[in-house]
Amino acid sequence: MSRICELTGKGRQVGHNVSHANNKTKKVFLPNLQNVTLMSEKLDRSFKFRVSTQGLRSVEHNGGLDNWLLKTRDEKLSARALKVKRELKKAEKQAEAA
């Protein structure tokens, strides 16, 4: 399983460990990923995602999963998140038509 946040697209970064003698060795910085269940208010369903803690804070700051998905560009989202976003848009269109 790749270490990429499904909502923000945040992945691993590469840098250096620098010793006191200024020796540099490669180091990988991994995002803090958590398995979470997020509730969609418009769909009345919950969805499981693997999200970074920063991504989770961003979702809460934007007012929940629905608002976050509608505001975020498709390139950042995973395939599962895109599927949920399409369902949200479909539900919104049906609500407007009714």
Side-chain angles (χ1 to χ4, degrees):
M1 182 177 281
S2 63
R3 302 198 179 198
I4 297 175
C5 176
E6 291 188 89
L7 296 181
T8 61
K10 185 176 201 160
R12 70 185 192 119
Q13 291 183 324
V14 179
H16 286 106
N17 266 341
V18 181
S19 70
H20 186 67
N22 206 24
N23 297 330
K24 295 173 183 74
T25 57
K26 288 280 188 174
K27 177 178 174 70
V28 176
F29 298 94
L30 298 174
N32 184 7
L33 296 178
Q34 304 294 322
N35 294 317
V36 295
T37 303
L38 298 171
M39 184 71 180
S40 170
E41 296 170 1
K42 293 178 183 173
L43 299 176
D44 284 334
R45 286 180 50 199
S46 59
F47 298 94
K48 288 187 177 185
F49 290 110
R50 193 156 189 232
V51 183
S52 65
T53 53
Q54 184 62 45
L56 191 57
R57 291 180 67 210
S58 298
V59 168
E60 290 177 8
H61 178 76
N62 280 297
L65 180 65
D66 299 341
N67 291 337
W68 170 261
L69 287 174
L70 294 174
K71 288 180 181 180
T72 306
R73 292 178 300 167
D74 292 350
E75 297 87 43
K76 280 190 171 185
L77 299 173
S78 68
R80 288 175 44 205
L82 276 173
K83 186 177 177 184
V84 175
K85 184 175 181 176
R86 275 188 245 115
E87 287 181 31
L88 276 171
K89 287 184 177 181
K90 192 175 183 181
E92 275 189 346
K93 285 185 181 180
Q94 288 177 352
E96 288 175 7

